[in-house]
PDB file of all heavy atoms in Angstrom:
ATOM      1  N   VAL A 670       6.485  27.972   2.922  1.00 97.00           N
ATOM      2  CA  VAL A 670       5.557  28.053   4.062  1.00 97.00           C
ATOM      3  C   VAL A 670       5.399  26.676   4.717  1.00 97.00           C
ATOM      4  O   VAL A 670       5.154  25.682   4.012  1.00 97.00           O
ATOM      5  CB  VAL A 670       4.084  28.473   3.565  1.00 97.00           C
ATOM      6  CG1 VAL A 670       3.161  28.577   4.745  1.00 97.00           C
ATOM      7  CG2 VAL A 670       4.175  29.737   2.790  1.00 97.00           C
ATOM      8  N   VAL A 671       5.647  26.619   6.037  1.00 98.00           N
ATOM      9  CA  VAL A 671       5.373  25.396   6.773  1.00 98.00           C
ATOM     10  C   VAL A 671       4.022  25.458   7.406  1.00 98.00           C
ATOM     11  O   VAL A 671       3.718  26.479   8.172  1.00 98.00           O
ATOM     12  CB  VAL A 671       6.506  25.156   7.828  1.00 98.00           C
ATOM     13  CG1 VAL A 671       6.065  24.075   8.832  1.00 98.00           C
ATOM     14  CG2 VAL A 671       7.794  24.767   7.125  1.00 98.00           C
ATOM     15  N   LEU A 672       3.134  24.552   7.087  1.00 98.00           N
ATOM     16  CA  LEU A 672       1.713  24.684   7.467  1.00 98.00           C
ATOM     17  C   LEU A 672       1.265  23.399   8.221  1.00 98.00           C
ATOM     18  O   LEU A 672       1.729  22.295   7.900  1.00 98.00           O
ATOM     19  CB  LEU A 672       0.889  24.742   6.120  1.00 98.00           C
ATOM     20  CG  LEU A 672      -0.631  24.613   6.152  1.00 98.00           C
ATOM     21  CD1 LEU A 672      -1.202  25.865   6.792  1.00 98.00           C
ATOM     22  CD2 LEU A 672      -1.171  24.364   4.808  1.00 98.00           C
ATOM     23  N   GLY A 673       0.398  23.640   9.195  1.00 98.00           N
ATOM     24  CA  GLY A 673      -0.158  22.499   9.910  1.00 98.00           C
ATOM     25  C   GLY A 673      -1.295  22.863  10.807  1.00 98.00           C
ATOM     26  O   GLY A 673      -1.520  24.056  11.028  1.00 98.00           O
ATOM     27  N   THR A 674      -2.027  21.873  11.262  1.00 98.00           N
ATOM     28  CA  THR A 674      -3.058  22.114  12.262  1.00 98.00           C
ATOM     29  C   THR A 674      -2.383  21.814  13.616  1.00 98.00           C
ATOM     30  O   THR A 674      -1.655  20.820  13.775  1.00 98.00           O
ATOM     31  CB  THR A 674      -4.262  21.204  12.105  1.00 98.00           C
ATOM     32  OG1 THR A 674      -4.799  21.428  10.789  1.00 98.00           O
ATOM     33  CG2 THR A 674      -5.335  21.454  13.160  1.00 98.00           C
ATOM     34  N   VAL A 675      -2.623  22.664  14.597  1.00 98.00           N
ATOM     35  CA  VAL A 675      -1.878  22.617  15.886  1.00 98.00           C
ATOM     36  C   VAL A 675      -2.166  21.300  16.667  1.00 98.00           C
ATOM     37  O   VAL A 675      -3.176  20.652  16.437  1.00 98.00           O
ATOM     38  CB  VAL A 675      -2.140  23.791  16.798  1.00 98.00           C
ATOM     39  CG1 VAL A 675      -1.634  25.093  16.128  1.00 98.00           C
ATOM     40  CG2 VAL A 675      -3.618  23.914  17.148  1.00 98.00           C
ATOM     41  N   GLU A 676      -1.296  21.064  17.638  1.00 98.00           N
ATOM     42  CA  GLU A 676      -1.409  19.938  18.534  1.00 98.00           C
ATOM     43  C   GLU A 676      -2.855  19.778  19.070  1.00 98.00           C
ATOM     44  O   GLU A 676      -3.503  20.751  19.382  1.00 98.00           O
ATOM     45  CB  GLU A 676      -0.432  20.148  19.710  1.00 98.00           C
ATOM     46  CG  GLU A 676      -0.248  18.989  20.583  1.00 98.00           C
ATOM     47  CD  GLU A 676       0.887  19.244  21.574  1.00 98.00           C
ATOM     48  OE1 GLU A 676       1.718  20.132  21.408  1.00 98.00           O
ATOM     49  OE2 GLU A 676       0.878  18.492  22.571  1.00 98.00           O
ATOM     50  N   SER A 677      -3.308  18.565  19.155  1.00 98.00           N
ATOM     51  CA  SER A 677      -4.603  18.176  19.740  1.00 98.00           C
ATOM     52  C   SER A 677      -5.754  18.398  18.839  1.00 98.00           C
ATOM     53  O   SER A 677      -6.927  18.091  19.172  1.00 98.00           O
ATOM     54  CB  SER A 677      -4.841  18.884  21.117  1.00 98.00           C
ATOM     55  OG  SER A 677      -5.339  20.200  20.855  1.00 98.00           O
ATOM     56  N   ASP A 678      -5.544  18.897  17.668  1.00 98.00           N
ATOM     57  CA  ASP A 678      -6.638  19.290  16.718  1.00 98.00           C
ATOM     58  C   ASP A 678      -6.483  18.483  15.419  1.00 98.00           C
ATOM     59  O   ASP A 678      -5.407  18.504  14.812  1.00 98.00           O
ATOM     60  CB  ASP A 678      -6.517  20.833  16.435  1.00 98.00           C
ATOM     61  CG  ASP A 678      -7.811  21.358  15.812  1.00 98.00           C
ATOM     62  OD1 ASP A 678      -8.410  20.621  15.036  1.00 98.00           O
ATOM     63  OD2 ASP A 678      -8.063  22.542  16.046  1.00 98.00           O
ATOM     64  N   VAL A 679      -7.551  17.808  14.999  1.00 97.00           N
ATOM     65  CA  VAL A 679      -7.451  16.968  13.800  1.00 97.00           C
ATOM     66  C   VAL A 679      -8.213  17.531  12.607  1.00 97.00           C
ATOM     67  O   VAL A 679      -8.393  16.858  11.572  1.00 97.00           O
ATOM     68  CB  VAL A 679      -7.855  15.504  14.027  1.00 97.00           C
ATOM     69  CG1 VAL A 679      -7.043  14.852  15.154  1.00 97.00           C
ATOM     70  CG2 VAL A 679      -9.349  15.367  14.303  1.00 97.00           C
ATOM     71  N   HIS A 680      -8.656  18.772  12.689  1.00 95.00           N
ATOM     72  CA  HIS A 680      -9.409  19.343  11.572  1.00 95.00           C
ATOM     73  C   HIS A 680      -8.465  19.683  10.408  1.00 95.00           C
ATOM     74  O   HIS A 680      -7.487  20.411  10.636  1.00 95.00           O
ATOM     75  CB  HIS A 680     -10.178  20.594  12.012  1.00 95.00           C
ATOM     76  CG  HIS A 680     -11.307  20.294  12.951  1.00 95.00           C
ATOM     77  ND1 HIS A 680     -11.058  20.259  14.319  1.00 95.00           N
ATOM     78  CD2 HIS A 680     -12.556  20.023  12.734  1.00 95.00           C
ATOM     79  CE1 HIS A 680     -12.235  19.906  14.919  1.00 95.00           C
ATOM     80  NE2 HIS A 680     -13.163  19.791  13.998  1.00 95.00           N
ATOM     81  N   SER A 681      -8.692  19.102   9.200  1.00 91.00           N
ATOM     82  CA  SER A 681      -7.726  19.239   8.147  1.00 91.00           C
ATOM     83  C   SER A 681      -8.248  20.025   6.962  1.00 91.00           C
ATOM     84  O   SER A 681      -7.445  20.485   6.122  1.00 91.00           O
ATOM     85  CB  SER A 681      -7.254  17.859   7.698  1.00 91.00           C
ATOM     86  OG  SER A 681      -8.365  17.157   7.194  1.00 91.00           O
ATOM     87  N   ILE A 682      -9.560  20.073   6.721  1.00 86.00           N
ATOM     88  CA  ILE A 682     -10.081  20.527   5.459  1.00 86.00           C
ATOM     89  C   ILE A 682      -9.757  22.007   5.128  1.00 86.00           C
ATOM     90  O   ILE A 682      -9.219  22.341   4.063  1.00 86.00           O
ATOM     91  CB  ILE A 682     -11.602  20.283   5.416  1.00 86.00           C
ATOM     92  CG1 ILE A 682     -11.893  18.760   5.521  1.00 86.00           C
ATOM     93  CG2 ILE A 682     -12.230  20.857   4.087  1.00 86.00           C
ATOM     94  CD1 ILE A 682     -13.279  18.388   5.851  1.00 86.00           C
ATOM     95  N   GLY A 683      -9.983  22.876   6.125  1.00 87.00           N
ATOM     96  CA  GLY A 683      -9.648  24.304   5.934  1.00 87.00           C
ATOM     97  C   GLY A 683      -8.158  24.552   5.748  1.00 87.00           C
ATOM     98  O   GLY A 683      -7.743  25.273   4.877  1.00 87.00           O
ATOM     99  N   LYS A 684      -7.422  23.863   6.558  1.00 92.00           N
ATOM    100  CA  LYS A 684      -5.929  23.943   6.464  1.00 92.00           C
ATOM    101  C   LYS A 684      -5.452  23.498   5.092  1.00 92.00           C
ATOM    102  O   LYS A 684      -4.619  24.114   4.474  1.00 92.00           O
ATOM    103  CB  LYS A 684      -5.291  23.121   7.590  1.00 92.00           C
ATOM    104  CG  LYS A 684      -3.794  23.106   7.700  1.00 92.00           C
ATOM    105  CD  LYS A 684      -3.167  21.820   7.158  1.00 92.00           C
ATOM    106  CE  LYS A 684      -3.723  20.548   7.726  1.00 92.00           C
ATOM    107  NZ  LYS A 684      -3.323  19.377   6.911  1.00 92.00           N
ATOM    108  N   ASP A 685      -6.055  22.342   4.596  1.00 85.00           N
ATOM    109  CA  ASP A 685      -5.612  21.886   3.267  1.00 85.00           C
ATOM    110  C   ASP A 685      -6.024  22.835   2.173  1.00 85.00           C
ATOM    111  O   ASP A 685      -5.322  23.006   1.142  1.00 85.00           O
ATOM    112  CB  ASP A 685      -6.167  20.485   3.012  1.00 85.00           C
ATOM    113  CG  ASP A 685      -5.468  19.421   3.873  1.00 85.00           C
ATOM    114  OD1 ASP A 685      -4.396  19.676   4.347  1.00 85.00           O
ATOM    115  OD2 ASP A 685      -6.070  18.351   4.062  1.00 85.00           O
ATOM    116  N   LEU A 686      -7.173  23.506   2.371  1.00 80.00           N
ATOM    117  CA  LEU A 686      -7.592  24.555   1.368  1.00 80.00           C
ATOM    118  C   LEU A 686      -6.557  25.665   1.357  1.00 80.00           C
ATOM    119  O   LEU A 686      -6.145  26.100   0.262  1.00 80.00           O
ATOM    120  CB  LEU A 686      -8.921  25.123   1.815  1.00 80.00           C
ATOM    121  CG  LEU A 686     -10.182  24.525   1.267  1.00 80.00           C
ATOM    122  CD1 LEU A 686     -11.438  25.201   1.862  1.00 80.00           C
ATOM    123  CD2 LEU A 686     -10.279  24.678  -0.218  1.00 80.00           C
ATOM    124  N   VAL A 687      -6.150  26.115   2.516  1.00 88.00           N
ATOM    125  CA  VAL A 687      -5.174  27.182   2.632  1.00 88.00           C
ATOM    126  C   VAL A 687      -3.882  26.703   1.904  1.00 88.00           C
ATOM    127  O   VAL A 687      -3.333  27.463   1.059  1.00 88.00           O
ATOM    128  CB  VAL A 687      -4.870  27.532   4.091  1.00 88.00           C
ATOM    129  CG1 VAL A 687      -3.655  28.443   4.194  1.00 88.00           C
ATOM    130  CG2 VAL A 687      -6.076  28.168   4.725  1.00 88.00           C
ATOM    131  N   GLY A 688      -3.454  25.468   2.171  1.00 86.00           N
ATOM    132  CA  GLY A 688      -2.250  24.929   1.546  1.00 86.00           C
ATOM    133  C   GLY A 688      -2.374  24.917   0.054  1.00 86.00           C
ATOM    134  O   GLY A 688      -1.456  25.325  -0.686  1.00 86.00           O
ATOM    135  N   SER A 689      -3.504  24.404  -0.473  1.00 75.00           N
ATOM    136  CA  SER A 689      -3.642  24.327  -1.899  1.00 75.00           C
ATOM    137  C   SER A 689      -3.695  25.718  -2.596  1.00 75.00           C
ATOM    138  O   SER A 689      -3.162  25.882  -3.657  1.00 75.00           O
ATOM    139  CB  SER A 689      -4.975  23.570  -2.235  1.00 75.00           C
ATOM    140  OG  SER A 689      -4.896  22.293  -1.690  1.00 75.00           O
ATOM    141  N   PHE A 690      -4.378  26.674  -1.926  1.00 76.00           N
ATOM    142  CA  PHE A 690      -4.423  28.020  -2.512  1.00 76.00           C
ATOM    143  C   PHE A 690      -3.029  28.637  -2.511  1.00 76.00           C
ATOM    144  O   PHE A 690      -2.664  29.266  -3.498  1.00 76.00           O
ATOM    145  CB  PHE A 690      -5.424  28.894  -1.714  1.00 76.00           C
ATOM    146  CG  PHE A 690      -6.806  28.860  -2.243  1.00 76.00           C
ATOM    147  CD1 PHE A 690      -7.559  27.709  -2.104  1.00 76.00           C
ATOM    148  CD2 PHE A 690      -7.391  29.903  -2.909  1.00 76.00           C
ATOM    149  CE1 PHE A 690      -8.841  27.593  -2.596  1.00 76.00           C
ATOM    150  CE2 PHE A 690      -8.652  29.837  -3.441  1.00 76.00           C
ATOM    151  CZ  PHE A 690      -9.404  28.669  -3.277  1.00 76.00           C
ATOM    152  N   LEU A 691      -2.282  28.442  -1.444  1.00 85.00           N
ATOM    153  CA  LEU A 691      -0.920  29.000  -1.413  1.00 85.00           C
ATOM    154  C   LEU A 691      -0.141  28.356  -2.493  1.00 85.00           C
ATOM    155  O   LEU A 691       0.620  29.027  -3.263  1.00 85.00           O
ATOM    156  CB  LEU A 691      -0.294  28.773  -0.012  1.00 85.00           C
ATOM    157  CG  LEU A 691      -0.730  29.641   1.106  1.00 85.00           C
ATOM    158  CD1 LEU A 691      -0.195  29.138   2.495  1.00 85.00           C
ATOM    159  CD2 LEU A 691      -0.344  31.086   0.924  1.00 85.00           C
ATOM    160  N   PHE A 692      -0.226  27.057  -2.597  1.00 79.00           N
ATOM    161  CA  PHE A 692       0.560  26.309  -3.607  1.00 79.00           C
ATOM    162  C   PHE A 692       0.217  26.856  -5.026  1.00 79.00           C
ATOM    163  O   PHE A 692       1.094  27.134  -5.797  1.00 79.00           O
ATOM    164  CB  PHE A 692       0.360  24.799  -3.546  1.00 79.00           C
ATOM    165  CG  PHE A 692       1.179  24.113  -4.561  1.00 79.00           C
ATOM    166  CD1 PHE A 692       2.496  23.830  -4.250  1.00 79.00           C
ATOM    167  CD2 PHE A 692       0.647  23.761  -5.746  1.00 79.00           C
ATOM    168  CE1 PHE A 692       3.306  23.192  -5.197  1.00 79.00           C
ATOM    169  CE2 PHE A 692       1.463  23.119  -6.685  1.00 79.00           C
ATOM    170  CZ  PHE A 692       2.764  22.864  -6.440  1.00 79.00           C
ATOM    171  N   SER A 693      -1.118  26.960  -5.306  1.00 67.00           N
ATOM    172  CA  SER A 693      -1.498  27.362  -6.631  1.00 67.00           C
ATOM    173  C   SER A 693      -1.170  28.826  -6.900  1.00 67.00           C
ATOM    174  O   SER A 693      -1.174  29.271  -8.040  1.00 67.00           O
ATOM    175  CB  SER A 693      -2.959  27.099  -6.852  1.00 67.00           C
ATOM    176  OG  SER A 693      -3.694  27.858  -5.996  1.00 67.00           O
ATOM    177  N   ASN A 694      -0.743  29.557  -5.858  1.00 73.00           N
ATOM    178  CA  ASN A 694      -0.367  30.926  -6.051  1.00 73.00           C
ATOM    179  C   ASN A 694       1.219  31.092  -6.004  1.00 73.00           C
ATOM    180  O   ASN A 694       1.713  32.175  -5.798  1.00 73.00           O
ATOM    181  CB  ASN A 694      -0.995  31.855  -5.049  1.00 73.00           C
ATOM    182  CG  ASN A 694      -2.404  32.205  -5.457  1.00 73.00           C
ATOM    183  OD1 ASN A 694      -2.581  33.133  -6.231  1.00 73.00           O
ATOM    184  ND2 ASN A 694      -3.380  31.432  -4.981  1.00 73.00           N
ATOM    185  N   GLY A 695       1.878  29.948  -6.132  1.00 77.00           N
ATOM    186  CA  GLY A 695       3.307  30.038  -6.354  1.00 77.00           C
ATOM    187  C   GLY A 695       4.202  29.842  -5.118  1.00 77.00           C
ATOM    188  O   GLY A 695       5.402  29.972  -5.201  1.00 77.00           O
ATOM    189  N   PHE A 696       3.567  29.473  -3.951  1.00 88.00           N
ATOM    190  CA  PHE A 696       4.413  29.239  -2.775  1.00 88.00           C
ATOM    191  C   PHE A 696       4.717  27.749  -2.643  1.00 88.00           C
ATOM    192  O   PHE A 696       3.918  26.900  -3.035  1.00 88.00           O
ATOM    193  CB  PHE A 696       3.704  29.757  -1.522  1.00 88.00           C
ATOM    194  CG  PHE A 696       3.468  31.186  -1.553  1.00 88.00           C
ATOM    195  CD1 PHE A 696       2.242  31.760  -1.973  1.00 88.00           C
ATOM    196  CD2 PHE A 696       4.490  32.101  -1.220  1.00 88.00           C
ATOM    197  CE1 PHE A 696       2.047  33.098  -2.035  1.00 88.00           C
ATOM    198  CE2 PHE A 696       4.278  33.491  -1.319  1.00 88.00           C
ATOM    199  CZ  PHE A 696       3.075  33.945  -1.740  1.00 88.00           C
ATOM    200  N   GLU A 697       5.854  27.448  -2.025  1.00 88.00           N
ATOM    201  CA  GLU A 697       6.198  26.083  -1.710  1.00 88.00           C
ATOM    202  C   GLU A 697       5.630  25.772  -0.373  1.00 88.00           C
ATOM    203  O   GLU A 697       5.953  26.496   0.646  1.00 88.00           O
ATOM    204  CB  GLU A 697       7.716  25.897  -1.741  1.00 88.00           C
ATOM    205  CG  GLU A 697       8.148  24.478  -1.924  1.00 88.00           C
ATOM    206  CD  GLU A 697       9.659  24.402  -2.169  1.00 88.00           C
ATOM    207  OE1 GLU A 697      10.306  25.428  -2.450  1.00 88.00           O
ATOM    208  OE2 GLU A 697      10.196  23.290  -1.985  1.00 88.00           O
ATOM    209  N   VAL A 698       4.794  24.756  -0.273  1.00 90.00           N
ATOM    210  CA  VAL A 698       4.034  24.490   0.985  1.00 90.00           C
ATOM    211  C   VAL A 698       4.523  23.133   1.536  1.00 90.00           C
ATOM    212  O   VAL A 698       4.472  22.095   0.890  1.00 90.00           O
ATOM    213  CB  VAL A 698       2.564  24.480   0.770  1.00 90.00           C
ATOM    214  CG1 VAL A 698       1.859  24.195   2.087  1.00 90.00           C
ATOM    215  CG2 VAL A 698       2.064  25.826   0.201  1.00 90.00           C
ATOM    216  N   PHE A 699       4.938  23.170   2.821  1.00 95.00           N
ATOM    217  CA  PHE A 699       5.285  21.942   3.501  1.00 95.00           C
ATOM    218  C   PHE A 699       4.152  21.679   4.483  1.00 95.00           C
ATOM    219  O   PHE A 699       4.122  22.290   5.594  1.00 95.00           O
ATOM    220  CB  PHE A 699       6.630  22.097   4.238  1.00 95.00           C
ATOM    221  CG  PHE A 699       7.752  22.362   3.266  1.00 95.00           C
ATOM    222  CD1 PHE A 699       8.046  23.674   2.846  1.00 95.00           C
ATOM    223  CD2 PHE A 699       8.516  21.339   2.766  1.00 95.00           C
ATOM    224  CE1 PHE A 699       9.026  23.894   1.945  1.00 95.00           C
ATOM    225  CE2 PHE A 699       9.522  21.607   1.829  1.00 95.00           C
ATOM    226  CZ  PHE A 699       9.806  22.857   1.401  1.00 95.00           C
ATOM    227  N   ASN A 700       3.247  20.763   4.074  1.00 94.00           N
ATOM    228  CA  ASN A 700       2.079  20.552   4.871  1.00 94.00           C
ATOM    229  C   ASN A 700       2.294  19.383   5.834  1.00 94.00           C
ATOM    230  O   ASN A 700       2.457  18.256   5.441  1.00 94.00           O
ATOM    231  CB  ASN A 700       0.880  20.197   3.960  1.00 94.00           C
ATOM    232  CG  ASN A 700      -0.470  20.146   4.642  1.00 94.00           C
ATOM    233  OD1 ASN A 700      -0.513  19.921   5.846  1.00 94.00           O
ATOM    234  ND2 ASN A 700      -1.536  20.341   3.881  1.00 94.00           N
ATOM    235  N   LEU A 701       2.382  19.728   7.164  1.00 97.00           N
ATOM    236  CA  LEU A 701       2.734  18.722   8.154  1.00 97.00           C
ATOM    237  C   LEU A 701       1.545  17.917   8.655  1.00 97.00           C
ATOM    238  O   LEU A 701       1.711  17.035   9.498  1.00 97.00           O
ATOM    239  CB  LEU A 701       3.432  19.391   9.336  1.00 97.00           C
ATOM    240  CG  LEU A 701       4.699  20.258   8.994  1.00 97.00           C
ATOM    241  CD1 LEU A 701       5.300  20.769  10.251  1.00 97.00           C
ATOM    242  CD2 LEU A 701       5.701  19.372   8.217  1.00 97.00           C
ATOM    243  N   GLY A 702       0.313  18.251   8.188  1.00 95.00           N
ATOM    244  CA  GLY A 702      -0.838  17.525   8.593  1.00 95.00           C
ATOM    245  C   GLY A 702      -1.471  18.040   9.840  1.00 95.00           C
ATOM    246  O   GLY A 702      -1.476  19.284  10.025  1.00 95.00           O
ATOM    247  N   VAL A 703      -2.085  17.161  10.624  1.00 97.00           N
ATOM    248  CA  VAL A 703      -2.846  17.628  11.783  1.00 97.00           C
ATOM    249  C   VAL A 703      -2.171  17.178  13.107  1.00 97.00           C
ATOM    250  O   VAL A 703      -1.211  16.384  13.045  1.00 97.00           O
ATOM    251  CB  VAL A 703      -4.288  17.019  11.763  1.00 97.00           C
ATOM    252  CG1 VAL A 703      -4.983  17.527  10.555  1.00 97.00           C
ATOM    253  CG2 VAL A 703      -4.235  15.499  11.772  1.00 97.00           C
ATOM    254  N   ASP A 704      -2.609  17.756  14.175  1.00 98.00           N
ATOM    255  CA  ASP A 704      -2.089  17.408  15.540  1.00 98.00           C
ATOM    256  C   ASP A 704      -0.526  17.579  15.549  1.00 98.00           C
ATOM    257  O   ASP A 704       0.179  16.684  15.987  1.00 98.00           O
ATOM    258  CB  ASP A 704      -2.542  15.982  15.871  1.00 98.00           C
ATOM    259  CG  ASP A 704      -2.196  15.567  17.294  1.00 98.00           C
ATOM    260  OD1 ASP A 704      -1.948  16.509  18.117  1.00 98.00           O
ATOM    261  OD2 ASP A 704      -2.236  14.361  17.612  1.00 98.00           O
ATOM    262  N   VAL A 705      -0.105  18.745  15.077  1.00 98.00           N
ATOM    263  CA  VAL A 705       1.349  18.940  14.937  1.00 98.00           C
ATOM    264  C   VAL A 705       1.894  19.712  16.136  1.00 98.00           C
ATOM    265  O   VAL A 705       1.470  20.833  16.400  1.00 98.00           O
ATOM    266  CB  VAL A 705       1.626  19.788  13.662  1.00 98.00           C
ATOM    267  CG1 VAL A 705       3.121  19.983  13.525  1.00 98.00           C
ATOM    268  CG2 VAL A 705       0.994  19.121  12.425  1.00 98.00           C
ATOM    269  N   PRO A 706       2.787  19.115  16.897  1.00 98.00           N
ATOM    270  CA  PRO A 706       3.413  19.792  18.026  1.00 98.00           C
ATOM    271  C   PRO A 706       4.308  21.005  17.549  1.00 98.00           C
ATOM    272  O   PRO A 706       4.839  20.918  16.470  1.00 98.00           O
ATOM    273  CB  PRO A 706       4.290  18.782  18.723  1.00 98.00           C
ATOM    274  CG  PRO A 706       3.981  17.471  18.038  1.00 98.00           C
ATOM    275  CD  PRO A 706       3.317  17.767  16.714  1.00 98.00           C
ATOM    276  N   ALA A 707       4.428  22.020  18.476  1.00 98.00           N
ATOM    277  CA  ALA A 707       5.201  23.210  18.189  1.00 98.00           C
ATOM    278  C   ALA A 707       6.590  22.837  17.656  1.00 98.00           C
ATOM    279  O   ALA A 707       7.084  23.403  16.658  1.00 98.00           O
ATOM    280  CB  ALA A 707       5.350  24.105  19.402  1.00 98.00           C
ATOM    281  N   ALA A 708       7.257  21.894  18.344  1.00 98.00           N
ATOM    282  CA  ALA A 708       8.641  21.598  17.982  1.00 98.00           C
ATOM    283  C   ALA A 708       8.770  21.076  16.563  1.00 98.00           C
ATOM    284  O   ALA A 708       9.704  21.370  15.852  1.00 98.00           O
ATOM    285  CB  ALA A 708       9.196  20.516  18.928  1.00 98.00           C
ATOM    286  N   LYS A 709       7.712  20.339  16.094  1.00 98.00           N
ATOM    287  CA  LYS A 709       7.745  19.763  14.761  1.00 98.00           C
ATOM    288  C   LYS A 709       7.641  20.914  13.684  1.00 98.00           C
ATOM    289  O   LYS A 709       8.344  20.884  12.668  1.00 98.00           O
ATOM    290  CB  LYS A 709       6.606  18.764  14.578  1.00 98.00           C
ATOM    291  CG  LYS A 709       6.851  17.865  13.397  1.00 98.00           C
ATOM    292  CD  LYS A 709       5.831  16.735  13.427  1.00 98.00           C
ATOM    293  CE  LYS A 709       5.748  16.087  12.025  1.00 98.00           C
ATOM    294  NZ  LYS A 709       4.628  15.133  11.928  1.00 98.00           N
TER     295      LYS A 709
END
Side-chain angles (χ1 to χ4, degrees):
V670 182
V671 167
L672 170 73
T674 302
V675 296
E676 189 170 343
S677 80
D678 193 328
V679 302
H680 293 88
S681 62
I682 297 164
K684 180 257 307 163
D685 288 341
L686 268 176
V687 170
S689 300
F690 271 70
L691 284 171
F692 182 82
S693 62
N694 280 277
F696 297 97
E697 200 170 345
V698 179
F699 298 85
N700 188 337
L701 303 183
V703 297
D704 188 16
V705 182
K709 198 170 163 191

